[in-house]
Amino acid sequence: MQSFYIASDSFLHRLNPLSKVLATLPALLFVALTTEPWTPLTFIVLTVALILGLGRIPVGRFLRLAAPLLLLVLGFLLVYPLVVREELVRNSPLLFELGPLRVYQAGVIFGLATALRIYALLMLSLLFTLTTDASDFIRALVQQWRLPYKIGYGALAAFRFVPMLQSELGVIQAAHRVRGIADGKGLRGTWQQMQRYAVPLLATAIRRAERTALAMDGRAFGAFPERTYYRALRFHRRDYFFIGGFWLASALSVLVLWQMGLLGSLVLLQQV
Amino acid sequence: MANLIEITNLSVGYPGRKLPTLQDVSLSVTAGETVLLLGASGCGKSTLALTLNGLIPHSIGSITAGSVHVDSLDTQATAVAALAQRVGIVFQDPEAQFVTLTVEDELLFGLENLCLPPAQMDGRVETALAQVGMAAYRRHPVDRLSGGQKQRIALAALLALEPQLLLFDEPTANLDPVGTQDVFRLIAERKAQGQNTIILIEHKLDELIHLVDRVVVLGFQGAILADGPPRSVFRDDGPTLIDHGIWMPQVCLLAHQLRAQGLALDPFPVTLDEAEQVLRDVPGALATHGAPPPILQTDSEQVASPQAAPALEVRNLSFRYGAQQVLSDISLRVPQGDFLALVGANGAGKTTLAQHLVGILAAPPGTVWLHGQDLRRMRARDLAKQIGYVFQNPEHQFVTASVFEEVAYGLRVLGHAEASVTVQAEALLARFGLERYARANPFTLSHGEKRRLSVATMLAMGQQTLILDEPTFGQDQRNAEAIMALLRDLHSEGRTIIIITHDMALVAEHAAHVAVMNAGRLLFHGDTRVAFAQPELLRQAHLTPPPIAQLAARLAWQQPGWAGLCTIADATRRLVSLLDEEVSCSEPQIP
């Protein structure tokens, strides 16, 4: 999570993290229900425009993140028409046939819609992750949404663990290779490998967690049921403006799509 | 005001351990004292530290008898919050102490926990940062600080809580020489400010000892073996300390060696300054007729025997990682049977170079040669047969669930028959003193045993060349010596040994040659003594010469016979031989 964050001082960065959650949540839920490609496509365009415009994320860095995700989606598009249940698409034109595989037009459209839906969800979450410092988010959760601070700061300390565990894993892999271990092939090899890595990795993690816990307790962590905060987080006018604006834009987009007959049915209402 | 710390008949245990870690310990410290706490590993130093800020018994462990009073407060009856404003502990791992991501947040963390009004926080943060000389780093991410800076911030985060007692628990253990210097300066600054009572747990003593008012030596279960001013402890209890495998200043070790040879220094020196003073007046002999310093060889090419293929050869190796040039055009020949030390500050490229030598990182064809073979053309298994690499943390290399299996593993990889695997593995375990633990899980061994096991596993395949990353890291004096004795044995059998280390005294004592790296370049490769005779070179590589070499350099101004000496053994031998000469011509002058 921390590694996606791109520090900057844009409008989106200055927003309270919670307002970004509140703003995008309805869109996230709605897009998750759609079955036609147009709605997710609209939200992808809207969100990317916001990320680049209001978030001032450099286009190059954004593409480097967003493009590989596109591959994932593409894979979905290719596989979906092949695995979709035939009775759902049998009424649409047959595109081509390859041995036992039959690809129908409806299957491709379903695939496209699902792929775009996933991509739209990813983009909506990127709007949050690219512009939000994880520790700010946790602080806001603790201060404004009453998340118990022991859990919040525990999570914050855990964030610091991720890069440590990554580099630790790298070292362990190298150390095992030096012992002449030829990495096993297939599932069984991978399983054995994971077992070998798990013990030293866990030993390190536990030891370090213990040290961190001592260092935290040594500075009076958990001494009182409440804490004070140097920076009080709250909603500013720009937060209300953003939430309202985003909701309005979402609603308008849906309305227009509906008017144009491009909304399609939603999964909850769909009768199969 | 009575004592700041009053520990009375204290016993401490941890759940799941049969024996108490501390047993009936009594100790008091007056306000303003600077106390050095010494003891072999496992003697309970860190446990004692944790009783002072109340983490024992409030967070871990339990006090089974006795009491601890800090500032007249009974720690068992006092909330951790109250103790946190009186006692601050800087731990050894700078990474593990941080909770948040920026310097400012880190300092605020404790203040917020204590529910200080936000209006008061600003001033506290500013003052604390100024006290550690890091005022300009307030908005810095902690990840981008150097090791020494991280410890400065760790201390600042404690100072913000305005504790009276500061405790440093091996604060330099994870740091390179630059960071270590930085932390020592920091402690000296605190001492000079005179506001704090300071307790130090540390074993790099020579550069610290002048700050210390009192030394307390702990033995098994915290039993107090010695307690007093540094001079009397190191002078009178020297043999006890050596017996228990406890570090002492190099200068004191030298003085004991000399005393054993019949030359008692008076006053007994503890710091470099004192040693310089007393040795200047001792055998005037070194001023005039010193034998020439040991043979100095400036070029490694001359050292290598011309016939045999070198154990390792690096030709024009460069390596980039992203935009960073980690290695620039390194060329290095390590003759067979050499004992080489690879030294330099963190980030100098030592580990990266070493990883190329064992194929962890793939070197371009023709750049790394092992016993005359291009590393790139060797199969991984053949490579593992010829060269071993012992990682800094032995645990990283353990791949099985028993000590025996660890050693047998390499032999099995080679396809040895089961009967011969058993015989060879048992022989190796016996050699390394591990046969008792054959069935134990490697993770349950002690620090020193884990290290020995990791060396044993690296020899199972009969490797002729061995690279060790910080072989004595975290070991007490006795374990460190045992490991180095082992390496010397392996070396005398004709094996090539390469160590990567920050410990210059270790280098001076054991390595024939040294390769000095800085910022990806090889600054020097040659005789160890030649390297230590070049202050400019060491400064450039951010290294400090070992204490005895510093002493020798200071004395050499007036007494040329000191030039080039850099180990205790060297200095003792030289002084004693000169003394003998003098005895033969005149009355001995032993002050």
Side-chain angles (χ1 to χ4, degrees), chain B residues 239-299:
Chain B
T240 318
L241 267 65
I242 293 169
D243 267 5
H244 282 79
I246 295 166
W247 297 97
M248 69 172 123
Q250 294 262 306
V251 161
C252 300
L253 281 172
L254 174 64
H256 279 293
Q257 289 281 329
L258 290 174
R259 184 150 77 174
Q261 304 282 337
L263 174 63
L265 301 180
D266 188 36
F268 186 89
V270 172
T271 65
L272 278 179
D273 286 340
E274 290 169 6
E276 186 188 350
Q277 282 288 324
V278 65
L279 283 167
R280 184 172 284 152
D281 317 330
V282 174
L286 276 178
T288 48
H289 49 138
I295 305 124
L296 305 180
Q297 252 151 342
T298 46
D299 193 350

Side-chain angles (χ1 to χ4, degrees), chain A residues 2 133-137 139 143 153 156 160 219 227-231 233, chain B residues 97-113 121 125 129 137-142 153 156-157 160-161:
Chain A
Q2 196 58 34
D133 185 342
S135 51
D136 281 344
F137 177 49
R139 236 176 254 136
Q143 287 187 39
Y153 276 79
L156 202 56
R160 304 190 41 85
R219 283 189 278 153
R227 296 169 94 236
T228 51
Y229 295 92
Y230 178 66
R231 263 186 298 273
L233 288 172
Chain B
Q97 295 174 59
F98 294 138
V99 188
T100 62
L101 303 167
T102 69
V103 168
E104 182 181 54
D105 286 343
E106 204 50 42
L107 267 74
L108 290 169
F109 177 73
L111 299 173
E112 293 177 339
N113 288 335
M121 293 183 188
V125 169
L129 281 176
Y137 290 83
R138 182 158 173 169
R139 311 224 178 272
H140 229 70
V142 284
I153 294 308
L161 311 182

Side-chain angles (χ1 to χ4, degrees), chain B residues 42-63:
Chain B
C43 73
K45 298 178 297 252
S46 297
T47 298
L48 192 67
L50 293 179
T51 63
L52 295 177
N53 69 349
L55 289 186
I56 296 174
H58 294 295
S59 289
I60 50 162
S62 56
I63 292 182

Side-chain angles (χ1 to χ4, degrees), chain B residues 177 203-204 247 250 341 343 470 472 480 499-509 532 543-544 546-547:
Chain B
H203 67 247
K204 297 168 196 163
W247 297 97
Q250 294 262 306
V343 301
E470 291 288 357
T472 60
I499 58 173
I500 304 171
T501 183
H502 289 318
D503 184 344
M504 292 304 129
L506 194 78
V507 174
E509 204 174 326
F532 286 136
L543 300 172
T544 24

Side-chain angles (χ1 to χ4, degrees), chain B residues 184-229:
Chain B
F184 286 169
R185 260 197 305 278
L186 187 63
I187 296 172
E189 285 161 20
R190 281 288 91 209
K191 165 98 176 166
Q193 299 243 337
Q195 294 160 354
N196 299 109
T197 305
I198 300 174
I199 297 182
L200 301 167
I201 300 173
E202 178 61 72
H203 67 247
K204 297 168 196 163
L205 299 175
D206 286 87
E207 289 163 79
L208 202 64
I209 197 70
H210 65 280
L211 302 172
V212 173
D213 303 318
R214 176 177 162 202
V215 178
V216 175
V217 184
L218 301 186
F220 181 60
Q221 293 185 327
I224 290 175
L225 300 176
D227 183 354

Side-chain angles (χ1 to χ4, degrees), chain A residues 2 5 13-18 20 128 131-144 156 159 231 233, chain B residues 101-102 105:
Chain A
Q2 196 58 34
Y5 174 59
H13 284 81
R14 282 196 303 271
L15 285 176
N16 186 304
L18 300 181
K20 281 178 265 187
F128 175 82
T131 63
T132 310
D133 185 342
S135 51
D136 281 344
F137 177 49
I138 286 175
R139 236 176 254 136
L141 282 177
V142 170
Q143 287 187 39
Q144 292 178 278
L156 202 56
F159 274 130
R231 263 186 298 273
L233 288 172
Chain B
L101 303 167
T102 69
D105 286 343

